[in-house]
Each structure stands twice: as C-alpha cells, then as structure tokens.
Amino acid sequence: MKKTLLFSVLGVLVLGTIISVILSRKSSADLVILYARHVSMDDLPLSVLQRELDNADTVLFEDPSWGESKKEWLNAISRGQSTPQDFWKASNITNDKVQTAYQFQDYLFQQFYKSNKNIDSFDITYDSSLSKEIYNSIAVLESDPKGRNFDEIISNEKNNWKKFIDLTRERENIIADNLSHFPDPKQNILIIIGDTHTRLSRLLVERNIAVEEVFAFTPQQYDFAGELASRLLNSEKV
C-alpha cells in the first residue's frame, strides 16, 4: 500500500499554517504569524495573503531549502528586478514541477513580486545535517510500510513517526531561537509557516516575544497526516 503524506511541516515539501496581522490596525505584537497548509495555492486565500503582506515590512517564511542565493533572488523579485519565472528557470525547475511540487512557493513568490518587502527566512539551511535527516525521515514515512506482520508494521510506523516528530521539534526549537533575533519596534514582521507548527507560538512566548496568530481558515482543517503531526508535535492525544 503506497502512502502519500503531504506535510505542512516542511516549507518546500510540505512546510501548513500562516500567521498574519489584521488589516484594520497595526499589530502590537513583536511578530505576526500566519499559519497555513502549504501544498497548493488553495491552502491560503489570496485575500488573506494580500491583507497580511500589505501590513508587513518584512516577510519571513518557512523554507528548509533556504540559502543566501535564494535570499538574493527573492529580494530581487520583491524589488521587481527579477520575476518568479526567472528564478525557477535559473534553478532548472520545469513549469510542470512548479505547478505541482512547488505550487505554493510559486504562489507566494508571485505575490512578493514588486511588493518591495524585505524577504528573509528563519529556517534551517538546505545543507544542514538536520535538514537532511528530516528529508530522509519523510522519505521513510512516504514509503510502503515494512514488517513481517501487522504488529511489526504498526511498531515500525510508530518508531518512524517518533523519529520524525523528534527531528521536527528540534527544528522548531532552532526556528524559535532564530526568530528571537528578529523583533524590531520599527518593523511589522510577518511570518508564514505551516499549520502543524502552532507549537512555535508557545516557544516564542516562552522567550518573551509577543505573538499574534492568524490562520488561513477558521476553523483550520487538516488532512490525516497534518492532523497527526500537529497532535504529536503538541503532545496531544492521538
């Protein structure tokens, strides 16, 4: 039996939930977090995304493939010096792939275009050992279940999920530490991240950072994998 898991936990694969500010007033929070599932453009209504971008000076988004080159590209896109199509072409990613595996990212990049926002990320970098471990863990979860009998299969799946959750919690702890350096009273900062990562709000509050949460949909709805990941990350009953 082939399993397909669409994770909100990893930006590019996955990723989600996005936190945002309210259009009618300036947020008093240090950081505004927009939580959204990040697989397709349908996961985040355009009206919500545009409203939050209008309020932001700096946009930080979840992307475990982050690096300095990508930062330069996205800020060039934001200034209108390059287009999202230029970026995908330079990255040797076909249009078909953009419209499937990278649809949500392209959706964001189209809205970043000529927005004149400062674009950055808070995520682990693509070449970090943790990033590689997480990608490997996801590959295991997406593969066919293995075991000589039903009980062994269930045991293996539990162990696979535990490893993935432990790695993701480590990633979230790093993200919270990275974000603790961003608050600036002169900047409205918008964070875009997958909706399974609501534990991040608690981690930031523990670091004395005021957070405002906004969800792509109310109530937020998850697929099976997203619901399971969210509950496990938050130590909730499954």
Side-chain angles (χ1 to χ4, degrees):
M1 177 178 62
K2 182 71 178 179
K3 299 183 300 177
T4 300
L5 300 178
L6 299 177
F7 291 104
S8 308
V9 281
L10 295 174
V12 65
L13 298 174
V14 3
L15 305 217
T17 300
I18 297 178
I19 304 174
S20 77
V21 292
I22 305 221
L23 180 63
S24 59
R25 62 180 176 82
K26 180 177 179 179
S27 175
S28 60
D30 295 318
L31 301 173
V32 174
I33 305 176
L34 175 56
Y35 286 112
R37 184 172 179 261
H38 44 52
V39 177
S40 77
M41 59 188 297
D42 294 330
D43 293 331
L44 177 60
L46 181 58
S47 59
V48 175
L49 178 56
Q50 288 179 332
R51 183 188 68 204
E52 306 317 322
L53 285 176
D54 286 345
N55 261 336
D57 301 305
T58 294
V59 180
L60 311 175
F61 73 105
E62 176 185 17
D63 186 353
S65 64
W66 191 254
E68 282 301 313
S69 175
K70 195 165 191 178
K71 179 179 178 178
E72 291 175 4
W73 266 107
L74 291 184
N75 280 283
I77 289 171
S78 176
R79 294 189 296 267
Q81 297 169 341
S82 299
T83 67
Q85 291 79 5
D86 294 333
F87 169 75
W88 296 121
K89 184 176 180 180
S91 302
N92 294 316
I93 296 175
T94 65
N95 187 59
D96 286 345
K97 197 81 175 282
V98 170
Q99 296 307 314
T100 52
Y102 296 93
Q103 184 182 129
F104 186 82
Q105 278 206 5
D106 185 62
Y107 175 58
L108 291 183
F109 297 172
Q110 296 294 340
Q111 302 311 310
F112 292 166
Y113 181 59
K114 290 186 176 181
S115 66
N116 289 312
K117 308 297 181 183
N118 177 38
I119 310 297
D120 209 333
S121 182
F122 46 78
D123 218 330
I124 56 179
T125 57
Y126 73 94
D127 56 353
S128 69
S129 59
L130 179 57
S131 179
K132 294 172 183 176
E133 285 187 87
I134 290 174
Y135 277 112
N136 289 338
S137 179
I138 288 175
V140 170
L141 286 173
E142 290 184 329
S143 65
D144 293 332
K146 294 179 175 59
R148 292 169 295 183
N149 53 56
F150 180 78
D151 288 339
E152 187 173 292
I153 289 174
I154 294 300
S155 177
N156 289 341
E157 288 295 283
K158 285 182 177 179
N159 289 334
N160 293 339
W161 270 100
K162 182 181 184 304
K163 181 175 182 179
F164 171 73
I165 294 300
D166 287 344
L167 291 170
T168 302
R169 282 180 174 158
E170 182 179 352
R171 176 179 170 233
E172 288 180 340
N173 291 339
I174 293 172
I175 287 173
D177 287 338
N178 291 342
L179 285 174
S180 66
H181 302 296
F182 275 100
D184 181 344
K186 297 179 181 179
Q187 292 275 315
N188 292 327
I189 300 177
L190 170 66
I191 298 166
I192 300 175
I193 191 169
D195 57 2
T196 61
H197 296 294
T198 53
R199 173 176 173 264
L200 179 62
S201 295
R202 186 169 68 253
L203 293 175
L204 291 171
V205 170
E206 290 172 355
R207 289 162 173 77
N208 297 314
I209 296 173
V211 172
E212 179 178 337
E213 294 178 318
V214 176
F215 291 84
F217 297 98
T218 305
Q220 189 70 21
Q221 297 181 342
Y222 298 89
D223 61 7
F224 173 79
E227 178 76 19
L228 180 58
S230 178
R231 287 178 175 272
L232 291 173
L233 285 169
N234 287 286
S235 301
E236 297 175 353
K237 184 178 180 180
V238 176

